[in-house]
Amino acid sequence: MAATATKTIDFAAERALAKDFLANFAGPRGEPKYLNILQDVANRKIRAVQIELDDLFHYKDADDEFLQRVTENTKRYIGIFADAIDELMPESTEAYAVDEDRDILMTQRVDEGADGGADGTDPLQRMPPEIRRFFEVYIKAFSKVTPLTIRQVKASNIGQLVKISGIVTRCSDVKPLMQVAVYTCEECGFEIYQEVTARVFMPLFECPSQRCKLNKAKGNLILQLRASKFLKFQEVKLQELAEHVPKGHIPRSLTVHLRGELTRKVAPGDVVEMSGIFLPMPYYGFRAMRAGLVADTYLESMSITHFKKKYEEYELKGDEQEQIDRLAEDGDIYNKLARSLAPEIFGHEDVKKALLLLLVGAPHRKLTDGMKIRGDLHICLMGDPGVAKSQLLKHIINVAPRGVYTTGRGSSGVGLTAAVQKDPVTNEFVLEGGALVLADMGICAIDEFDKMEESDRTAIHEVMEQQTVSIAKAGITTSLNARTAVLAAANPAWGRYDMRRTPAENINLPPALLSRFDLLWLILDRADMETDLEMARHVVHVHQNLESPALGAYISTARRVVPSVPRELEEYIATAYSSIRQEEAKSNAPHSYTTIRTLLSILRISIALARLRFSETVAQSDVDEALRLMQMSKYSLYSDDRQRSGLDAISDIYSILRDEAARTNSMDVRYAHALNLISRKGYSEAQLKECLEEYASLNVWQIHPNTFDIHFIDA
């Protein structure tokens, strides 16, 4: 068999090509892209130099073989590009803050080298290039390449640049990692440098310089920590996404090492795409004796891309700002955005409106005395099986940039709040955040809320109002942030809603928890010929051509608005709240718990509605819609009460309008006000118009032909 000839690579030529690429590659507007980056590095504005393979691909002098070598031997080519950057690095053009330790030591070292203090023959006395560099080089994988799953990364990928997608399950603290150890000799006074390339290293104890060898003196070396160079280091666990796990298997995980400027870029719960070098990591010490020839693997990260950006980090692309401005002027944007949520689910218009407001939320308030008032809305969907509660929850979690989905049966108290675990690296007790902590500044969806153990459910009380998780376990006493909106779904106590029992018996949740929900939505599965027929058609043929606006972009822009409640509305809101309390006292309804939290809920929902309009102030229409949503959440119960009382819809609407005219001592009721009144009771505009026509034909009132305002004929 003939031996395969291996091609010898001339690394000097490779460095020249890398230097040529960095010096000559032009950006989209013809500017020298990498020279501008290097100028920013020289001015100490940035530290990271990210070389994109997409740019190398488009560079005329870089052939496919060079690209392949960079991809397959990335670790070596990072050094080549760093050497090229050393040669190209321009002088700084702006004043920058001096790093005393580093800059003064470097000046001193250069002066000593110029004086001939260190003879250049000893390699350990030669200053390594890493200690001079104040930048880090990263090579970013092709953007168009489909990321691999953790399962697809094989031994053949070792040393190569790979792109992997997954979910971050845990992050270690950021620790300093030694890159160059610097020693000084007590005998000869020389500085000795030791490059560290692995996680562990053997320190030097005897001076290896030529002078100590000539004098036959075993000079004692002292490690100089201030003169040494350290890098920020963080270890992350990346786990396979649920959709990538084959049937019957459990998700695999991979250790990822983040260095330098890539640290603190991810948090547990983030779904990310990482490109990096897949490398082996041999075991050390006793573990090496037990493992033998087996080595562990890890990914040395080169770039991180988040699948979902936070609303604060969302950058509008292209003409998105124009689209948002156009949508904001549309009077029906509230309904359109609500319909665009889970378009495959039929009906539930008002539920979708409430979920839209949950996504928008209200700003958090911090009072002058330090007290905080939450801005997040909490919603509980309670209803019969098969009314698409879980589907709505899943959809909201997919839409939200940060969302955690969990179920009542699969969650314990510590699983929702925080658990104390032993860190495998340091063997210390550390706190591992639960679902509510992971969903900080996002949404936590809890399905099967009614099936949770009562002791576990009490863990949510503090999170829902104070928005913190207080821990006093294993010597750790602390308070964690859990600024999350809770979206819960539950079935009634007996699986289905039992009409023979009271609402309180059906809901079966403690008043302390019920009062914390801004909206408790009761969805009953009622038999209705027309509705059932429409739903069946919809399910059989899910409409394809529903055009939804750019929801993420719109919500991210809306969340930047901080509306205030004007003084003239204060009395209106206070009156509305007191009337709700009076109605509850009269009806003696045990299922609704109206407390001062209800007033805060009205304010939160009103502010969220004002945000959707990009308005700086809350309007009366926002308050009316908030009250209507609160009323509609119990609509199915009221409709049942009306059926039992024997009143039909038309008669009920008439009695509502008559009572309003008597209350205001006026013969006139404006149409908009009438529509608002009957909407709160769960009636539609079509039913109002039918009532107006019927009682106008009986000469009870007159209707204005244009405005539809009502004038009673007989007092």
Side-chain angles (χ1 to χ4, degrees):
M1 280 176 67
T4 310
T6 54
K7 187 179 176 184
T8 310
I9 297 168
D10 181 2
F11 284 111
E14 300 287 279
R15 192 183 298 116
L17 181 55
K19 185 179 173 183
D20 187 49
F21 162 73
L22 291 167
N24 298 320
F25 184 79
R29 291 189 295 275
E31 78 284 3
K33 178 179 175 178
Y34 289 100
L35 285 181
N36 287 352
I37 291 171
L38 295 188
Q39 190 61 64
D40 285 343
V41 170
N43 294 338
R44 307 286 173 91
K45 287 182 179 175
I46 57 172
R47 288 178 66 94
V49 179
Q50 195 168 66
I51 290 146
E52 297 184 28
L53 288 187
D54 289 340
D55 295 344
L56 266 174
F57 178 74
H58 290 116
Y59 187 58
K60 60 182 188 305
D61 293 341
D63 55 5
D64 292 344
E65 285 185 13
F66 180 72
L67 263 174
Q68 189 179 348
R69 291 196 294 274
V70 172
T71 311
E72 292 182 354
N73 193 7
T74 315
K75 192 87 172 164
R76 180 77 181 85
Y77 277 84
I78 284 174
I80 288 170
F81 275 105
D83 291 341
I85 289 169
D86 284 337
E87 293 177 33
L88 283 171
M89 185 62 71
E91 292 292 321
S92 61
T93 55
E94 297 175 17
Y96 56 82
V98 174
D99 178 357
E100 285 189 13
D101 276 6
R102 194 191 167 284
D103 291 320
I104 292 167
L105 278 166
M106 283 306 300
T107 312
Q108 188 180 341
R109 282 166 179 155
V110 171
D111 291 345
E112 282 178 5
D115 296 342
D119 54 356
T121 56
D122 196 336
L124 285 167
Q125 283 177 250
R126 201 171 296 132
M127 198 187 296
E130 275 79 10
I131 208 157
R132 289 197 190 94
R133 289 174 185 151
F134 43 87
F135 60 86
E136 294 145 21
V137 180
Y138 302 106
I139 295 178
K140 190 181 178 184
F142 288 109
S143 55
K144 295 284 191 291
V145 171
T146 309
L148 303 170
T149 65
I150 292 173
R151 223 167 270 267
Q152 290 170 329
V153 182
K154 302 279 193 272
S156 57
N157 296 110
I158 287 209
Q160 295 183 5
L161 189 69
V162 293
K163 198 185 207 180
I164 299 174
S165 61
I167 182 166
V168 178
T169 52
R170 65 187 306 267
C171 295
S172 71
D173 293 335
V174 177
K175 304 264 175 72
L177 178 75
M178 191 172 274
Q179 195 180 22
V180 181
V182 178
Y183 306 88
T184 43
C185 176
E186 287 185 330
E187 290 288 328
C188 60
F190 281 175
E191 249 187 354
I192 309 294
Y193 304 97
Q194 182 187 13
E195 288 189 63
V196 180
T197 54
R199 284 279 297 274
V200 293
F201 73 104
M202 180 58 75
L204 301 174
F205 296 106
E206 289 184 6
C207 179
S209 71
Q210 296 292 338
R211 186 179 292 183
C212 277
K213 282 179 183 173
L214 282 171
N215 297 338
K216 293 184 179 174
K218 291 185 177 180
N220 187 32
L221 291 181
I222 297 165
L223 180 62
Q224 298 289 344
L225 290 174
R226 278 187 70 183
S228 301
K229 186 179 180 185
F230 291 89
L231 266 180
K232 289 182 283 185
F233 176 81
Q234 189 178 23
E235 194 172 273
V236 166
K237 271 272 187 269
L238 194 69
Q239 187 179 289
E240 266 183 313
L241 294 170
E243 57 264 29
H244 296 156
V245 182
K247 292 173 192 167
H249 290 247
I250 59 167
R252 286 188 187 173
S253 57
L254 177 70
T255 304
V256 181
H257 290 177
L258 307 179
R259 294 165 193 255
E261 296 301 292
L262 289 178
T263 52
R264 297 192 179 93
K265 285 277 171 73
V266 294
D270 288 355
V271 180
V272 293
E273 197 176 85
M274 286 188 179
S275 68
I277 312 164
F278 188 57
L279 293 167
M281 180 167 55
Y283 292 108
Y284 300 101
F286 289 113
R287 293 181 72 188
M289 291 165 66
R290 200 165 63 236
L293 297 174
V294 177
D296 204 354
T297 52
Y298 72 97
L299 187 81
E300 191 171 306
S301 184
M302 291 282 117
S303 71
I304 298 168
T305 310
H306 287 260
F307 275 112
K308 289 181 178 178
K309 285 194 174 173
K310 292 178 186 171
Y311 287 129
E312 298 80 37
E313 294 169 3
Y314 198 99
E315 292 175 4
L316 299 177
K317 300 187 244 2
D319 61 341
E320 277 188 337
Q321 186 62 54
E322 290 175 26
Q323 285 181 350
I324 288 167
D325 294 340
R326 203 163 52 246
L327 285 167
E329 291 167 11
D330 186 348
D332 199 32
I333 183 61
Y334 174 46
N335 294 315
K336 279 184 180 173
L337 283 173
R339 281 198 297 271
S340 75
L341 276 176
E344 67 279 1
I345 295 171
F346 176 79
H348 297 323
E349 283 87 2
D350 285 322
V351 180
K352 289 180 182 179
K353 284 177 181 175
L355 294 177
L356 174 67
L357 298 178
L358 176 90
L359 286 169
V360 175
H364 296 275
R365 304 278 183 194
K366 190 168 183 181
L367 307 183
T368 49
D369 60 353
M371 184 187 281
K372 292 175 185 173
I373 299 174
R374 69 175 164 95
D376 294 310
L377 272 81
H378 302 316
I379 296 178
C380 180
L381 306 178
M382 179 169 279
D384 295 333
V387 291
K389 300 188 298 296
S390 298
Q391 289 287 0
L392 283 167
L393 257 67
K394 287 268 189 189
H395 185 83
I396 291 296
I397 291 302
N398 288 338
V399 168
R402 192 170 183 82
V404 176
Y405 178 88
T406 180
T407 59
R409 263 285 168 234
S411 305
S412 63
V414 290
L416 286 170
T417 53
V420 175
Q421 290 188 339
K422 208 170 229 185
D423 192 321
V425 181
T426 60
N427 278 336
E428 292 174 356
F429 282 113
V430 289
L431 277 180
E432 190 103 352
L436 291 163
V437 178
L438 290 182
D440 186 32
M441 304 298 284
I443 294 169
C444 182
I446 307 171
D447 208 351
E448 311 293 349
F449 193 58
D450 54 308
K451 294 170 187 66
M452 282 178 73
E453 297 291 333
E454 192 56 46
S455 56
D456 297 335
R457 212 187 284 147
T458 51
I460 303 170
H461 285 219
E462 184 197 353
V463 173
M464 288 181 73
E465 208 56 55
Q466 276 69 45
Q467 301 214 298
T468 55
V469 172
S470 299
I471 296 289
K473 295 175 183 175
I476 299 170
T477 308
T478 184
S479 191
L480 305 172
N481 281 327
R483 295 154 295 185
T484 174
V486 175
L487 173 59
N491 291 117
W494 290 273
R496 277 188 75 110
Y497 196 90
D498 190 345
M499 290 297 181
R500 293 164 297 179
R501 298 180 189 269
T502 63
E505 288 175 316
N506 275 295
I507 292 168
N508 197 29
L509 289 175
L513 194 60
L514 279 179
S515 66
R516 282 169 162 81
F517 282 110
D518 297 282
L519 290 170
L520 171 71
W521 214 282
L522 284 157
I523 313 167
L524 270 59
D525 187 9
R526 294 181 171 280
D528 181 276
M529 183 70 185
E530 287 180 21
T531 313
D532 290 349
L533 194 62
E534 277 183 52
M535 187 185 289
R537 285 178 187 145
H538 178 87
V539 171
V540 172
H541 177 69
V542 172
H543 46 285
Q544 301 293 319
N545 306 320
L546 195 89
E547 203 174 305
S548 62
L551 194 64
Y554 193 93
I555 290 173
S556 69
T557 315
R559 283 176 72 97
R560 290 172 194 154
V561 184
V562 184
S564 58
V565 180
R567 282 196 171 277
E568 55 267 23
L569 271 183
E570 287 174 6
E571 188 60 34
Y572 183 76
I573 294 168
T575 311
Y577 167 68
S578 61
S579 64
I580 292 171
R581 290 272 290 188
Q582 292 304 312
E583 274 182 38
E584 188 188 309
K586 279 182 202 166
S587 64
N588 196 23
H591 60 276
S592 56
Y593 301 95
T594 307
T595 63
I596 199 68
R597 282 181 179 148
T598 313
L599 177 60
L600 291 171
S601 298
I602 295 167
L603 287 169
R604 271 191 285 271
I605 298 166
S606 307
I607 289 168
L609 284 157
R611 272 181 158 185
L612 274 176
R613 297 185 293 108
F614 296 117
S615 171
E616 294 291 337
T617 54
V618 174
Q620 187 175 329
S621 59
D622 297 327
V623 181
D624 290 339
E625 175 63 13
L627 293 166
R628 188 191 75 80
L629 280 174
M630 296 188 94
Q631 199 72 29
M632 284 301 289
S633 63
K634 312 284 190 311
Y635 167 63
S636 44
L637 287 182
Y638 290 127
S639 60
D640 183 59
D641 292 339
R642 276 196 295 274
Q643 284 171 6
R644 279 190 284 196
S645 66
L647 277 178
D648 67 319
I650 306 301
S651 307
D652 202 17
I653 290 171
Y654 168 68
S655 52
I656 291 167
L657 298 179
R658 187 192 59 205
D659 292 347
E660 179 62 19
R663 189 183 67 80
T664 55
N665 200 19
S666 167
M667 303 285 282
D668 298 296
V669 178
R670 286 188 303 108
Y671 179 75
H673 185 52
L675 182 59
N676 178 33
L677 284 171
I678 65 113
S679 296
R680 287 194 211 167
K681 296 290 183 188
Y683 293 118
S684 65
E685 189 173 6
Q687 287 172 315
L688 173 64
K689 286 185 174 172
E690 192 181 337
C691 175
L692 295 183
E693 286 172 15
E694 187 169 320
Y695 281 87
S697 63
L698 297 171
N699 284 332
V700 173
W701 54 44
Q702 291 175 335
I703 309 301
H704 193 282
N706 298 328
T707 61
F708 299 111
D709 289 345
I710 304 153
H711 174 73
F712 282 85
I713 293 170
D714 188 4

